[in-house]
């Protein structure tokens, strides 16, 4: 049976309030990815996301890439890729969990949630036994601001950040007991008010991730203070001087003000 | 891939406005079930539902039962059973489709919809190849009126038939593109206003089934006139003189008043 234990989810629930890094395996060379994984592990990050909106030759590139990361760090590796019709969500052995985005703002029911069904029915063809399947993180995904890349790939329309629509979506997410709510904005920004509004209405066990355009520690703090459990950054480290950026973005735990200091890793 | 064609769904969409019979294979002897199947086929019913709220030794009883029905009639046989945690929805070879109820009024997320995931992941263990899986009819199920049987089995609370809650549920059902909305009341009744309210808000391709306590042709007509695509009856034929009841419930097509006469079978 899939998801008979929820180890990664349990770990995330115990380590709320951390930033989290996303590595794009189709942009970042594997040696650099390993160094970054070691660096965020040392900062106490509870997991590492391996993700890309687009991907090519997944089956070729990913097994070795994941293996190298697994050998370097003991924190969970979470895949986060959009599904493709006819194949579902891509997966690879060695991943501890897979984010399954349900794109509630899509015009296409496949991307809204029916990709879940296809992926699960397709596991045997891919040689994945249900009890060896990475843990599924069922993630309602809301995208804000115009985003032609997501529209072309996934039919996603920007979600209106006004209370009426958010109230409805919060009620849907609560009813369907998604594990995660992933708030994303590629070009605009997730409003901290959106984060707070959802935090006040979702079930306490539901985790809020915020990502897209996170470049500064003050952005991280604003979202964390507004109720985000994890603030996710990717592009901020996609340059040679990434160590300096990481230091600015995520001060070492002893320097952190407030509650994050008390969270045990 | 599951559901790569939707033959049964397409057929149902072409034959709206018919009553539909439910046979409980754990109550009705197979010889009687075969006679009933032949009788409703002759009346032009577009499908037959094989269903029970409770079931025991499913794997023992069902294959022979379904085979006998398949040999007698050429209309689709639709299974409709609640899922069980650890096993998912029961299925049997020879079924053309399986109703997958998503119990939006349940307190338990397994019955709300996560049973879908378990069932699909569990197909290989049951020896069902994804491309041999019966067609799935994704069915939002709303139950009305107190129903301790459903509560004990499935955690379902009665759905409030007031506009506020129904408005929300209609929006959810429309967003998630369920194929079917199944309105059921074991002891009370589905209000025709509920049916009309939902018909006005759902997508035109979404099919409304109404069932529970249907004993007369005027009940069937009231719901059909309120927008139900299929009015389902079960217990009305669970007695020796069922042929007389069937005649009263479903007059032969030529005697039907109104639009149903034009619908080709």
């Amino acid at each position: 049976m899939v998801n008979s234990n929820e180890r990664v989810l349990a770990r995330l629930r115990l380590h709320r309030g951390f930033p989290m890094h996303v590595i794009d395996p189709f942009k970042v060379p594997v040696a650099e990815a390993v160094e970054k994984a070691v660096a965020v592990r040392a900062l106490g990050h509870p997991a590492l996301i391996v993700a890309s909106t687009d991907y090519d030759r997944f089956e070729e590139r990913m097994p070795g890439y994941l293996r190298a990361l697994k050998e370097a760090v003991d924190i969970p590796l979470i895949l986060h890729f959009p599904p493709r019709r006819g194949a579902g969500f891509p997966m690879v052995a060695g991943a501890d969990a897979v984010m399954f985005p349900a794109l509630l703002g899509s015009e296409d029911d496949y991307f809204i949630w029916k990709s879940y069904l296809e992926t699960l029915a397709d596991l045997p063809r891919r040689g994945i036994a249900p009890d060896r399947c990475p843990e599924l993180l069922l993630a309602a995904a809301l995208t804000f601001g115009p985003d032609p890349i997501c529209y072309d790939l996934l039919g996603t329309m920007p979600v209106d950040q006004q209370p009426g629509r958010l109230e409805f979506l919060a009620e849907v997410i609560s009813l369907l007991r998604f594990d995660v709510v992933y708030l994303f904005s590629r070009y605009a920004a997730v409003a901290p008010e959106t984060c707070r509004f959802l935090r006040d209405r979702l079930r306490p066990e539901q985790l809020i991730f915020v990502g897209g355009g996170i470049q500064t520690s003050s952005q991280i703090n604003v979202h964390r203070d507004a109720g985000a459990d994890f603030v996710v950054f990717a592009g901020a480290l996609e340059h040679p001087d990434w160590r300096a950026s990481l230091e600015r973005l995520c001060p070492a735990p002893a320097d952190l003000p407030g509650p994050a200091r008390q969270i045990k890793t």
Side-chain angles (χ1 to χ4, degrees), chain A:
Chain A
M1 184 193 152
V2 288
N3 268 21
S4 49
N5 71 46
E6 297 187 331
R7 288 190 321 113
V8 176
L9 187 58
R11 179 181 171 83
L12 294 177
R13 285 179 179 153
L14 283 173
H15 294 82
R16 294 171 176 221
F18 273 90
M20 201 179 285
H21 184 43
V22 171
I23 288 181
D24 182 337
F26 295 90
K27 275 191 198 162
V28 179
V30 65
E32 185 181 320
V34 164
E35 286 181 45
K36 288 175 175 175
V38 171
V40 299
R41 167 73 186 81
L43 288 168
H45 290 203
L48 177 68
I49 300 177
V50 180
S52 183
T53 306
D54 208 354
Y55 49 92
D56 189 33
R57 302 190 179 182
F58 188 93
E59 312 287 346
E60 253 174 58
R61 180 156 184 83
M62 292 300 291
Y65 204 96
L66 259 273
R67 204 158 44 236
L69 290 173
K70 273 312 245 191
E71 281 167 11
V73 293
D74 57 359
I75 52 175
L77 305 178
I78 302 172
L79 301 185
H80 190 183
F81 294 85
R84 287 189 182 159
R85 204 184 289 273
F89 290 95
M91 289 197 202
V92 55
D96 299 283
V98 182
M99 200 79 86
F100 264 33
L103 293 154
L104 300 186
S106 177
E107 292 179 329
D108 182 335
D109 60 343
Y110 180 77
F111 295 107
I112 294 175
W113 73 288
K114 291 183 182 171
S115 55
Y116 282 25
L117 307 181
E118 181 176 63
T119 305
L120 288 164
D122 199 48
L123 292 179
R125 198 187 56 76
R126 302 199 223 170
I128 303 175
D131 56 352
R132 299 296 302 269
C133 182
E135 186 178 326
L136 313 183
L137 300 174
L138 309 181
L142 308 182
T143 57
F144 304 99
D147 185 341
I149 295 177
C150 276
Y151 182 76
D152 288 348
L153 272 176
L154 313 164
T156 45
M157 297 294 288
V159 169
D160 183 354
Q161 299 199 55
Q162 294 310 304
R165 189 64 186 164
L166 285 179
E167 183 84 56
F168 168 69
L169 292 170
E171 215 179 327
V172 171
I173 292 165
S174 181
L175 171 72
L176 299 179
R177 313 287 206 282
F178 284 101
D179 303 315
V180 163
V181 183
Y182 204 109
L183 311 179
F184 179 75
S185 182
R186 192 184 300 274
Y187 301 116
V190 177
E193 296 74 23
T194 297
C195 198
R196 170 55 54 205
F197 187 94
L198 291 171
R199 180 71 284 159
D200 290 345
R201 284 157 182 81
L202 297 175
R203 294 170 180 269
E205 71 274 18
Q206 293 182 308
L207 298 173
I208 297 182
F209 284 63
V210 173
I214 302 294
Q215 296 280 349
T216 69
S217 65
S218 77
Q219 284 174 297
I220 292 177
N221 294 339
V222 163
H223 283 109
R224 194 181 55 201
D225 294 348
D229 296 297
F230 300 100
V231 183
V232 169
F233 58 96
L237 302 197
E238 287 175 356
H239 59 84
D241 197 20
W242 61 266
R243 286 190 189 274
S245 298
L246 180 60
E247 205 168 303
R248 277 193 301 273
L249 265 173
C250 310
D255 305 333
L256 275 181
R261 198 186 297 168
Q262 280 90 52
I263 297 174
K264 291 266 188 354
T265 57

